[in-house]
């Protein structure tokens, strides 16, 4: 058995009723999010007659400000029970989203309100994700974390396949407000599901110095940067995810503009490969059981980096469409193997009383780096052309495996498990 490897679990292994409710809550809210995918830009354009700059601000400025708002919430949540926090964040998102159709019905909807809602939802998203990681670590023993994260990954890709087509049909029949209401209700159902988990939650760690100080806001980053393995994973994922996301607007311009692909072809090129996510998430656990976490992280993390450069060779017609599908399928398959193993290693390497602050810092950095790189690649796309900018991102992605941890991961995990 490889170093750091744990005994495998049968595919049908049950993780208990409490995890079942948490998993169901995650799936419900994820489906709601994908049903409403693209609803905010449509509302801005169709209802408020917003221009390109305003629409861009909804995703970029709203997410960036939301990330900034979430920074002090990480240290605050760390010293509180996580289940009530999760329920509160779901209810906050439910209430915030519901204000949009209510204001629309009253004829009072404004662009400022849409922007404020995106800020609130973004901050609540980050806080929820950080608290859910800490809650999961107390809910399950270490040997079950990979199984749980693989199930979350599979659920994410399943809702990615199902949600947008259903949401598109709902928008066509009922308008974007209907999908926004569905998204809001999904958070309410998620809150009810998390409440149903019940059970006993261990008391959180006590704050040593009383009230929170300004320096506490940086605790998550300090913890990550002080640990060589976490630091490597942190920079690898921030750069990889940021570069991949930065090329998406340029790819849309290239495919829908210069190469003349129809909108349905563009949608198909990114929807069909999502089946690779289902396959990859199923492979993560057996591969880790056989080869160990370190080996899977390095190999999957390296393989996922080789695919995007192929998009620089995209051409028109059926051949071009098949190229995009093939590249995205390979990329998603490798990411779906990497992601649950990465999420599990991150939880196991982080002390229980540091999880929320660490995951908050991680999520805030991911959003900030994605926003920065997207803006930078927008400029490069204008100066060099979208194809050249996409190729440049692909070449830089080839270097991201150098940031992966090279040795000692198995021993670190075993030591962390004994300490926690």
């Amino acid at each position: 058995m490889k170093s750091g490897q744990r005994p495998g679990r049968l595919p049908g292994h049950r993780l208990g009723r409490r995890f079942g409710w948490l998993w169901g809550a995650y799936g419900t809210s994820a489906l709601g999010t994908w049903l409403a995918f693209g609803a905010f830009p449509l509302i801005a354009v169709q209802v408020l007659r917003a221009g390109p700059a305003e629409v861009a601000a909804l995703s970029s400025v709203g997410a960036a400000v939301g990330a900034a708002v979430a920074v002090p919430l990480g240290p605050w949540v760390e010293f509180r029970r996580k289940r009530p926090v999760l329920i509160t964040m779901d209810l906050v998102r439910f209430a915030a989203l519901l204000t949009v159709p209510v204001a629309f019905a009253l004829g009072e909807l404004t662009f400022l309100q849409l922007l404020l809602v995106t800020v609130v939802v973004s901050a609540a998203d980050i806080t929820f994700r950080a608290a859910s990681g800490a809650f999961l670590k107390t809910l399950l023993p270490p040997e079950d974390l990979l199984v749980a994260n693989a199930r979350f990954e599979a659920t994410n890709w399943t809702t990615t396949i199902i949600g947008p087509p259903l949401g598109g049909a709902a928008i066509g029949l009922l308008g974007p407000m209907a999908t926004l209401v569905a998204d809001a209700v999904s958070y309410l159902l998620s809150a009810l599901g998390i409440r149903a988990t019940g059970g006993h939650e261990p008391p959180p760690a006590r704050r040593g110095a009383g009230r929170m100080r300004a320096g506490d806001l940086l605790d998550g980053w300090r913890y990550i940067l002080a640990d060589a393995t976490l630091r490597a994973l942190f920079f690898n994922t921030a750069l990889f995810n940021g570069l991949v996301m930065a090329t998406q607007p340029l790819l849309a311009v290239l495919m829908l503009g210069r190469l003349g692909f129809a909108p349905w072809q563009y949608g198909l090129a990114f929807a069909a490969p999502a089946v690779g996510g289902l396959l990859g998430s199923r492979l993560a656990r057996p591969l880790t059981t056989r080869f160990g976490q370190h080996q899977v992280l390095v190999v999957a993390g390296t393989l996922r980096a080789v695919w995007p450069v192929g998009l620089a060779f995209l051409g028109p017609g059926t051949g071009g469409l098949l190229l995009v599908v093939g590249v995205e399928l390979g990329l998603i398959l490798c990411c779906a193997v990497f992601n649950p193993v990465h999420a599990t290693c991150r939880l196991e390497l982080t002390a229980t009383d540091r999880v929320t602050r660490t995951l908050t810092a991680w999520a805030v950095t991911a959003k900030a780096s994605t926003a920065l790189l997207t803006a930078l690649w927008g400029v490069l796309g204008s100066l060099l052309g979208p194809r050249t900018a996409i190729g440049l991102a692909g070449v830089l992605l080839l270097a991201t495996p150098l940031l992966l941890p090279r040795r000692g991961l198995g021993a670190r995990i075993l030591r962390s498990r004994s300490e926690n």
Side-chain angles (χ1 to χ4, degrees):
M1 186 174 290
K2 300 289 183 180
S3 176
Q5 181 180 336
R6 295 181 295 272
R9 294 284 183 172
L10 295 175
H13 176 70
R14 295 178 63 84
L15 299 182
R17 181 190 64 83
R18 298 183 69 198
F19 175 78
W21 280 110
L22 181 65
W23 188 18
Y26 175 85
T28 301
S29 60
L31 179 59
T33 298
W34 282 111
L35 283 173
F37 181 72
F40 267 75
L42 279 175
I43 292 170
V45 173
Q46 294 181 357
V47 177
L48 300 177
R49 308 301 180 203
E54 292 172 305
V55 173
L58 278 177
S59 57
S60 58
V61 177
V65 176
V69 171
V71 170
L73 294 178
W76 182 81
V77 172
E78 191 77 79
F79 302 100
R80 282 156 179 80
R81 294 185 187 272
K82 305 305 182 290
R83 192 164 71 99
V85 171
L86 295 175
I87 294 171
T88 300
M89 292 302 106
D90 269 338
L91 294 178
V92 166
R93 291 183 285 187
F94 164 70
L97 289 172
L98 206 59
T99 64
V100 176
V102 169
F104 172 73
L106 297 175
E108 299 293 335
L109 183 63
T110 64
F111 179 79
L112 178 60
Q113 180 182 348
L114 283 186
L115 189 60
L116 289 175
V117 169
T118 61
V119 169
V120 171
V121 170
S122 177
D125 282 344
I126 292 174
T127 304
F128 182 94
R129 289 178 182 275
S132 65
F135 183 62
L136 184 66
K137 187 166 182 176
T138 63
L139 186 66
L140 297 176
E143 61 268 19
D144 284 337
L145 289 176
L146 179 56
V147 180
N149 282 316
R151 290 180 183 179
F152 286 139
E153 184 75 10
T155 302
N156 179 57
W157 288 110
T158 300
T159 55
T160 302
I161 295 170
I162 297 173
L166 289 179
I171 288 174
L173 292 173
L174 303 172
M177 288 294 174
T179 62
L180 207 60
V181 171
D183 191 16
V185 171
S186 76
Y187 288 120
L188 177 61
L189 295 175
S190 174
L192 294 174
I194 293 170
R195 186 176 186 276
T197 59
H200 171 72
E201 181 181 349
R206 293 183 178 275
R207 182 182 296 278
R211 294 195 308 176
M212 185 171 66
R213 300 167 299 178
D216 295 337
L217 301 180
L218 302 178
D219 276 351
W221 284 278
R222 279 196 291 260
Y223 188 82
I224 293 168
L225 296 178
D227 185 292
T229 307
L230 286 176
R231 184 170 65 243
L233 290 172
F234 176 71
F235 286 120
N236 172 268
T237 53
L239 184 58
F240 179 87
N241 294 336
L243 285 171
V244 168
M245 294 304 297
T247 61
Q248 296 306 303
L250 300 179
L251 193 57
V253 170
L254 184 61
M255 292 183 67
L256 297 173
R258 301 185 182 185
L259 297 180
F261 285 98
W264 70 266
Q265 292 175 308
Y266 177 77
L268 177 65
F270 294 96
V275 297
L278 296 178
L279 177 59
S281 59
R282 296 282 293 180
L283 290 173
R285 184 196 57 80
L287 287 174
T288 301
T289 299
R290 181 170 182 180
F291 298 108
Q293 289 177 321
H294 187 198
Q295 186 79 359
V296 173
L297 270 181
V298 171
V299 173
T302 300
L303 290 178
R304 67 177 184 161
V306 306
W307 294 96
V309 71
L311 295 174
F313 304 98
L314 176 61
T318 304
L321 184 61
L322 291 176
L323 174 65
V324 177
V325 170
V327 167
E328 292 295 323
L329 178 63
L331 173 64
I332 290 172
L333 174 64
C334 296
C335 286
V337 173
F338 179 90
N339 290 343
V341 181
H342 161 260
T344 301
C345 289
R346 185 174 59 181
L347 278 179
E348 292 195 304
L349 291 173
T350 304
T352 302
D353 62 348
R354 296 276 184 167
V355 172
T356 305
R357 282 171 285 181
T358 299
L359 295 186
T360 299
W362 211 293
V364 168
T365 303
K367 283 187 176 289
S369 60
T370 297
L372 177 62
L373 289 171
T374 300
L376 176 59
W377 251 256
V379 175
L380 291 175
S382 299
L383 296 175
L384 307 175
R387 186 188 300 278
T388 303
I390 290 170
L392 177 60
V395 171
L396 292 176
L397 281 166
L398 293 174
T400 58
L402 298 176
L403 296 173
L404 289 168
R406 288 296 162 187
R407 59 184 181 276
L409 180 59
R412 280 292 323 282
I413 289 174
L414 289 175
R415 188 164 63 253
S416 296
R417 289 175 63 184
S418 64
E419 290 172 354
N420 292 329

